[in-house]
């Protein structure tokens, strides 16, 4: 067995506070039309964004990069506590359609004292499925950070 196979699978934690009401931030995570506006790194678009906000609800997002490559993500919602917690499993597929890795994401929402919303995103990689998966995992931190900044812009625009 090689040394890479013995390494623990990555985990990430992202925390952001949004100057937006909890209901709006929750809607941005659970309504497909709103989710499509911010999901993915800067410059990506989501022409297909399916999200069923219920236990065992289906997820399918086709993230399209600025160069036109499509990065599909499929999965399912595993737990949902409206306005408090959202947990979903997903599988990242490469542009060639091969399964890259599986992850579990937990998003915790909390209303702040000033009427904003604190969000914590816990990302746990649970399986590597392809030898090139590490190339994509290397972009996880930047991708989530950019997505959350796009979310900030999406909820801020809606307040105007």
């Amino acid at each position: 067995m090689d040394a890479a196979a013995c390494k623990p699978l990555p985990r990430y934690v992202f925390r952001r506070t949004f100057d937006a009401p909890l209901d709006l931030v929750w809607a941005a995570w659970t309504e497909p039309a709103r989710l499509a506006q911010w999901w993915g790194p800067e410059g990506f678009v989501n022409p297909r964004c399916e999200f069923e906000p219920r236990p065992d609800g289906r997820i399918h997002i086709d993230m399209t990069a600025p160069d036109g490559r499509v990065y599909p993500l499929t999965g399912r919602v595993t737990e949902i506590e409206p306005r408090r917690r959202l947990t979903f499993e997903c599988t990242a597929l490469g542009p060639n359609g091969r399964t890259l890795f599986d992850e579990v994401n937990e998003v915790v929402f909390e209303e702040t004292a000033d009427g904003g919303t604190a969000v914590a995103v816990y990302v746990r990689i649970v399986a590597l499925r392809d030898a090139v998966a590490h190339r994509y995992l290397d972009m996880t931190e930047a991708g989530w950070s950019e997505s959350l900044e796009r979310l900030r812009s999406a909820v801020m625009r809606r307040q105007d």
Side-chain angles (χ1 to χ4, degrees):
M1 183 182 290
D2 66 29
C6 295
K7 287 174 58 175
L9 295 173
R11 293 174 180 251
Y12 307 89
V13 178
F14 304 95
R15 297 179 193 281
R16 298 290 188 282
T17 301
F18 300 96
D19 186 17
L22 176 57
D23 287 339
L24 180 57
V25 177
W26 176 260
W29 277 90
T30 58
E31 294 176 11
R34 291 183 190 222
L35 184 62
Q37 293 174 0
W38 65 267
W39 187 269
E42 189 64 41
F44 279 63
V45 295
N46 303 292
R48 179 178 178 186
C49 185
E50 300 169 5
F51 187 91
E52 297 173 342
R54 59 177 175 75
D56 226 20
R58 195 167 84 91
I59 301 169
H60 187 111
I61 302 173
D62 284 344
M63 295 187 303
T64 303
D67 66 5
R69 281 191 241 180
V70 177
Y71 297 87
L73 176 87
T74 62
R76 69 183 186 90
V77 174
T78 55
E79 297 177 64
I80 189 165
E81 287 179 61
R83 303 179 70 237
R84 295 189 46 107
R85 192 163 71 87
L86 173 65
T87 305
F88 56 98
E89 301 171 343
C90 52
T91 298
L93 305 174
N96 58 7
R98 291 192 332 222
T99 300
L100 299 172
F101 56 88
D102 300 324
E103 63 184 62
V104 173
N105 303 284
E106 179 183 16
V107 187
V108 178
F109 302 81
E110 184 177 337
E111 188 169 19
T112 63
D114 63 357
T117 306
V119 174
V121 180
Y122 302 92
V123 178
R124 185 169 47 98
I125 306 305
V126 295
L128 301 178
R129 305 279 183 199
D130 192 287
V132 300
H134 69 279
R135 289 188 211 153
Y136 296 89
L137 289 175
D138 288 347
M139 298 181 278
T140 298
E141 193 162 340
W144 269 106
S145 292
E146 290 177 24
S147 288
L148 292 171
E149 287 309 308
R150 291 179 70 192
L151 171 58
R152 181 181 312 283
S153 295
V155 295
M156 292 301 289
R157 278 195 302 268
R158 294 205 181 286
Q159 284 188 296
D160 296 341

